[in-house]
Amino acid sequence: KKKLYREIMKLYALGKHSFILRVNMVNVMIDTTVPFDTMYTHNNYNNHKIHIVPPNFHMFDIKSVDVVLISNFRTILGLPYIVHQLKQNCKIYATNPTVEIGHRMLLE
């Protein structure tokens, strides 16, 4: 007798606040956070460098994501860094306020 194994659900952590949920062969990315590690130089808070740490994609192929869910304006900040890597028909969902506030933050 052959045992049929069917994957029902699996969760991959890509970073501090970014996940991929795989449910019945559908890959859903939850948030696209890019954590910012701020490094201040000479204790002068007006003169600082921002070091961007992208999500860790070594355990998951980003091209296999079917849907992206953005939960809030802070987690939309990583979207510009990954949108060109997603497949062409990948759907991206967010509320209008999330998109508007996130867009303003990206412009700053």
Side-chain angles (χ1 to χ4, degrees), residues 6-23:
R6 195 170 86 147
E7 180 182 306
I8 297 174
M9 190 180 334
K10 193 167 190 177
L11 183 68
Y12 299 88
L14 302 177
K16 192 172 182 179
H17 300 287
S18 188
F19 304 93
I20 292 187
L21 179 64
R22 184 180 177 107
V23 181

PDB file of all heavy atoms in Angstrom, residues 6-23:
ATOM      1  N   ARG A   6      -0.058  14.485   1.912  1.00  0.00           N
ATOM      2  CA  ARG A   6      -0.570  15.734   1.389  1.00  0.00           C
ATOM      3  C   ARG A   6      -0.219  16.844   2.363  1.00  0.00           C
ATOM      4  O   ARG A   6      -0.614  16.810   3.530  1.00  0.00           O
ATOM      5  CB  ARG A   6      -2.067  15.665   1.204  1.00  0.00           C
ATOM      6  CG  ARG A   6      -2.591  16.776   0.345  1.00  0.00           C
ATOM      7  CD  ARG A   6      -3.999  16.507   0.011  1.00  0.00           C
ATOM      8  NE  ARG A   6      -4.823  17.033   1.084  1.00  0.00           N
ATOM      9  CZ  ARG A   6      -6.020  17.540   0.927  1.00  0.00           C
ATOM     10  NH1 ARG A   6      -6.567  17.536  -0.248  1.00  0.00           N
ATOM     11  NH2 ARG A   6      -6.690  18.009   1.936  1.00  0.00           N
ATOM     12  N   GLU A   7       0.524  17.799   1.860  1.00  0.00           N
ATOM     13  CA  GLU A   7       0.907  18.947   2.690  1.00  0.00           C
ATOM     14  C   GLU A   7      -0.310  19.843   2.848  1.00  0.00           C
ATOM     15  O   GLU A   7      -0.916  20.271   1.873  1.00  0.00           O
ATOM     16  CB  GLU A   7       2.030  19.716   2.005  1.00  0.00           C
ATOM     17  CG  GLU A   7       2.504  20.897   2.764  1.00  0.00           C
ATOM     18  CD  GLU A   7       3.592  21.645   2.015  1.00  0.00           C
ATOM     19  OE1 GLU A   7       4.586  21.037   1.635  1.00  0.00           O
ATOM     20  OE2 GLU A   7       3.394  22.838   1.818  1.00  0.00           O
ATOM     21  N   ILE A   8      -0.697  20.114   4.066  1.00  0.00           N
ATOM     22  CA  ILE A   8      -1.863  20.955   4.299  1.00  0.00           C
ATOM     23  C   ILE A   8      -1.451  22.404   4.537  1.00  0.00           C
ATOM     24  O   ILE A   8      -1.928  23.299   3.879  1.00  0.00           O
ATOM     25  CB  ILE A   8      -2.696  20.423   5.478  1.00  0.00           C
ATOM     26  CG1 ILE A   8      -3.220  19.042   5.120  1.00  0.00           C
ATOM     27  CG2 ILE A   8      -3.823  21.365   5.805  1.00  0.00           C
ATOM     28  CD1 ILE A   8      -3.925  18.342   6.240  1.00  0.00           C
ATOM     29  N   MET A   9      -0.501  22.626   5.468  1.00  0.00           N
ATOM     30  CA  MET A   9      -0.100  23.979   5.782  1.00  0.00           C
ATOM     31  C   MET A   9       1.331  24.010   6.298  1.00  0.00           C
ATOM     32  O   MET A   9       1.738  23.138   7.049  1.00  0.00           O
ATOM     33  CB  MET A   9      -1.033  24.573   6.845  1.00  0.00           C
ATOM     34  CG  MET A   9      -0.831  26.037   7.056  1.00  0.00           C
ATOM     35  SD  MET A   9      -1.891  26.843   8.301  1.00  0.00           S
ATOM     36  CE  MET A   9      -3.342  25.880   8.393  1.00  0.00           C
ATOM     37  N   LYS A  10       2.091  25.011   5.852  1.00  0.00           N
ATOM     38  CA  LYS A  10       3.458  25.186   6.315  1.00  0.00           C
ATOM     39  C   LYS A  10       3.737  26.684   6.378  1.00  0.00           C
ATOM     40  O   LYS A  10       3.306  27.432   5.506  1.00  0.00           O
ATOM     41  CB  LYS A  10       4.420  24.495   5.369  1.00  0.00           C
ATOM     42  CG  LYS A  10       5.807  24.358   5.913  1.00  0.00           C
ATOM     43  CD  LYS A  10       6.618  23.394   5.080  1.00  0.00           C
ATOM     44  CE  LYS A  10       7.904  23.082   5.774  1.00  0.00           C
ATOM     45  NZ  LYS A  10       8.697  22.111   5.072  1.00  0.00           N
ATOM     46  N   LEU A  11       4.463  27.113   7.409  1.00  0.00           N
ATOM     47  CA  LEU A  11       4.784  28.523   7.594  1.00  0.00           C
ATOM     48  C   LEU A  11       6.291  28.714   7.550  1.00  0.00           C
ATOM     49  O   LEU A  11       7.032  28.036   8.258  1.00  0.00           O
ATOM     50  CB  LEU A  11       4.224  29.023   8.935  1.00  0.00           C
ATOM     51  CG  LEU A  11       4.418  30.502   9.243  1.00  0.00           C
ATOM     52  CD1 LEU A  11       3.595  31.355   8.300  1.00  0.00           C
ATOM     53  CD2 LEU A  11       4.035  30.791  10.690  1.00  0.00           C
ATOM     54  N   TYR A  12       6.753  29.643   6.713  1.00  0.00           N
ATOM     55  CA  TYR A  12       8.170  29.990   6.596  1.00  0.00           C
ATOM     56  C   TYR A  12       8.363  31.398   7.137  1.00  0.00           C
ATOM     57  O   TYR A  12       7.659  32.319   6.724  1.00  0.00           O
ATOM     58  CB  TYR A  12       8.631  29.977   5.134  1.00  0.00           C
ATOM     59  CG  TYR A  12       8.507  28.659   4.438  1.00  0.00           C
ATOM     60  CD1 TYR A  12       7.338  28.296   3.794  1.00  0.00           C
ATOM     61  CD2 TYR A  12       9.577  27.775   4.399  1.00  0.00           C
ATOM     62  CE1 TYR A  12       7.230  27.084   3.140  1.00  0.00           C
ATOM     63  CE2 TYR A  12       9.475  26.559   3.739  1.00  0.00           C
ATOM     64  CZ  TYR A  12       8.298  26.227   3.111  1.00  0.00           C
ATOM     65  OH  TYR A  12       8.187  25.032   2.463  1.00  0.00           O
ATOM     66  N   ALA A  13       9.304  31.585   8.034  1.00  0.00           N
ATOM     67  CA  ALA A  13       9.647  32.919   8.540  1.00  0.00           C
ATOM     68  C   ALA A  13      10.786  33.471   7.699  1.00  0.00           C
ATOM     69  O   ALA A  13      11.855  32.878   7.614  1.00  0.00           O
ATOM     70  CB  ALA A  13      10.052  32.846  10.001  1.00  0.00           C
ATOM     71  N   LEU A  14      10.554  34.620   7.056  1.00  0.00           N
ATOM     72  CA  LEU A  14      11.565  35.238   6.203  1.00  0.00           C
ATOM     73  C   LEU A  14      12.342  36.321   6.928  1.00  0.00           C
ATOM     74  O   LEU A  14      13.350  36.787   6.439  1.00  0.00           O
ATOM     75  CB  LEU A  14      10.905  35.848   4.961  1.00  0.00           C
ATOM     76  CG  LEU A  14      10.107  34.885   4.105  1.00  0.00           C
ATOM     77  CD1 LEU A  14       9.460  35.636   2.956  1.00  0.00           C
ATOM     78  CD2 LEU A  14      10.981  33.771   3.592  1.00  0.00           C
ATOM     79  N   GLY A  15      11.851  36.738   8.031  1.00  0.00           N
ATOM     80  CA  GLY A  15      12.482  37.803   8.799  1.00  0.00           C
ATOM     81  C   GLY A  15      11.658  38.044  10.041  1.00  0.00           C
ATOM     82  O   GLY A  15      10.832  37.211  10.427  1.00  0.00           O
ATOM     83  N   LYS A  16      11.869  39.186  10.628  1.00  0.00           N
ATOM     84  CA  LYS A  16      11.194  39.477  11.890  1.00  0.00           C
ATOM     85  C   LYS A  16       9.674  39.563  11.727  1.00  0.00           C
ATOM     86  O   LYS A  16       8.928  39.082  12.558  1.00  0.00           O
ATOM     87  CB  LYS A  16      11.741  40.786  12.457  1.00  0.00           C
ATOM     88  CG  LYS A  16      11.339  41.052  13.872  1.00  0.00           C
ATOM     89  CD  LYS A  16      12.066  42.255  14.410  1.00  0.00           C
ATOM     90  CE  LYS A  16      11.684  42.479  15.858  1.00  0.00           C
ATOM     91  NZ  LYS A  16      12.378  43.606  16.433  1.00  0.00           N
ATOM     92  N   HIS A  17       9.201  40.170  10.646  1.00  0.00           N
ATOM     93  CA  HIS A  17       7.759  40.346  10.449  1.00  0.00           C
ATOM     94  C   HIS A  17       7.332  40.012   9.026  1.00  0.00           C
ATOM     95  O   HIS A  17       6.446  40.669   8.473  1.00  0.00           O
ATOM     96  CB  HIS A  17       7.347  41.783  10.762  1.00  0.00           C
ATOM     97  CG  HIS A  17       7.637  42.199  12.162  1.00  0.00           C
ATOM     98  ND1 HIS A  17       6.909  41.740  13.238  1.00  0.00           N
ATOM     99  CD2 HIS A  17       8.587  43.008  12.672  1.00  0.00           C
ATOM    100  CE1 HIS A  17       7.392  42.263  14.332  1.00  0.00           C
ATOM    101  NE2 HIS A  17       8.414  43.032  14.029  1.00  0.00           N
ATOM    102  N   SER A  18       7.934  39.032   8.418  1.00  0.00           N
ATOM    103  CA  SER A  18       7.583  38.641   7.057  1.00  0.00           C
ATOM    104  C   SER A  18       7.534  37.120   6.987  1.00  0.00           C
ATOM    105  O   SER A  18       8.470  36.450   7.409  1.00  0.00           O
ATOM    106  CB  SER A  18       8.620  39.201   6.078  1.00  0.00           C
ATOM    107  OG  SER A  18       8.212  38.990   4.765  1.00  0.00           O
ATOM    108  N   PHE A  19       6.434  36.595   6.446  1.00  0.00           N
ATOM    109  CA  PHE A  19       6.216  35.151   6.433  1.00  0.00           C
ATOM    110  C   PHE A  19       5.671  34.697   5.084  1.00  0.00           C
ATOM    111  O   PHE A  19       5.082  35.489   4.350  1.00  0.00           O
ATOM    112  CB  PHE A  19       5.192  34.759   7.512  1.00  0.00           C
ATOM    113  CG  PHE A  19       5.570  35.200   8.880  1.00  0.00           C
ATOM    114  CD1 PHE A  19       5.124  36.407   9.384  1.00  0.00           C
ATOM    115  CD2 PHE A  19       6.379  34.410   9.671  1.00  0.00           C
ATOM    116  CE1 PHE A  19       5.485  36.826  10.644  1.00  0.00           C
ATOM    117  CE2 PHE A  19       6.747  34.817  10.939  1.00  0.00           C
ATOM    118  CZ  PHE A  19       6.294  36.021  11.432  1.00  0.00           C
ATOM    119  N   ILE A  20       5.842  33.428   4.812  1.00  0.00           N
ATOM    120  CA  ILE A  20       5.154  32.790   3.696  1.00  0.00           C
ATOM    121  C   ILE A  20       4.366  31.629   4.273  1.00  0.00           C
ATOM    122  O   ILE A  20       4.909  30.779   4.975  1.00  0.00           O
ATOM    123  CB  ILE A  20       6.125  32.322   2.609  1.00  0.00           C
ATOM    124  CG1 ILE A  20       6.729  33.540   1.938  1.00  0.00           C
ATOM    125  CG2 ILE A  20       5.391  31.436   1.602  1.00  0.00           C
ATOM    126  CD1 ILE A  20       7.583  33.289   0.742  1.00  0.00           C
ATOM    127  N   LEU A  21       3.083  31.634   3.989  1.00  0.00           N
ATOM    128  CA  LEU A  21       2.183  30.577   4.417  1.00  0.00           C
ATOM    129  C   LEU A  21       1.827  29.753   3.185  1.00  0.00           C
ATOM    130  O   LEU A  21       1.321  30.293   2.207  1.00  0.00           O
ATOM    131  CB  LEU A  21       0.921  31.166   5.054  1.00  0.00           C
ATOM    132  CG  LEU A  21      -0.129  30.175   5.525  1.00  0.00           C
ATOM    133  CD1 LEU A  21       0.421  29.301   6.650  1.00  0.00           C
ATOM    134  CD2 LEU A  21      -1.377  30.918   5.982  1.00  0.00           C
ATOM    135  N   ARG A  22       2.131  28.474   3.241  1.00  0.00           N
ATOM    136  CA  ARG A  22       1.818  27.571   2.131  1.00  0.00           C
ATOM    137  C   ARG A  22       0.625  26.728   2.555  1.00  0.00           C
ATOM    138  O   ARG A  22       0.701  25.966   3.523  1.00  0.00           O
ATOM    139  CB  ARG A  22       3.018  26.701   1.816  1.00  0.00           C
ATOM    140  CG  ARG A  22       2.815  25.803   0.638  1.00  0.00           C
ATOM    141  CD  ARG A  22       4.071  24.973   0.419  1.00  0.00           C
ATOM    142  NE  ARG A  22       3.862  24.068  -0.667  1.00  0.00           N
ATOM    143  CZ  ARG A  22       4.401  24.204  -1.867  1.00  0.00           C
ATOM    144  NH1 ARG A  22       5.221  25.210  -2.092  1.00  0.00           N
ATOM    145  NH2 ARG A  22       4.144  23.351  -2.817  1.00  0.00           N
ATOM    146  N   VAL A  23      -0.483  26.877   1.828  1.00  0.00           N
ATOM    147  CA  VAL A  23      -1.713  26.152   2.124  1.00  0.00           C
ATOM    148  C   VAL A  23      -2.170  25.459   0.846  1.00  0.00           C
ATOM    149  O   VAL A  23      -2.490  26.124  -0.135  1.00  0.00           O
ATOM    150  CB  VAL A  23      -2.821  27.101   2.630  1.00  0.00           C
ATOM    151  CG1 VAL A  23      -4.082  26.335   2.959  1.00  0.00           C
ATOM    152  CG2 VAL A  23      -2.351  27.896   3.823  1.00  0.00           C
TER     153      VAL A  23
END
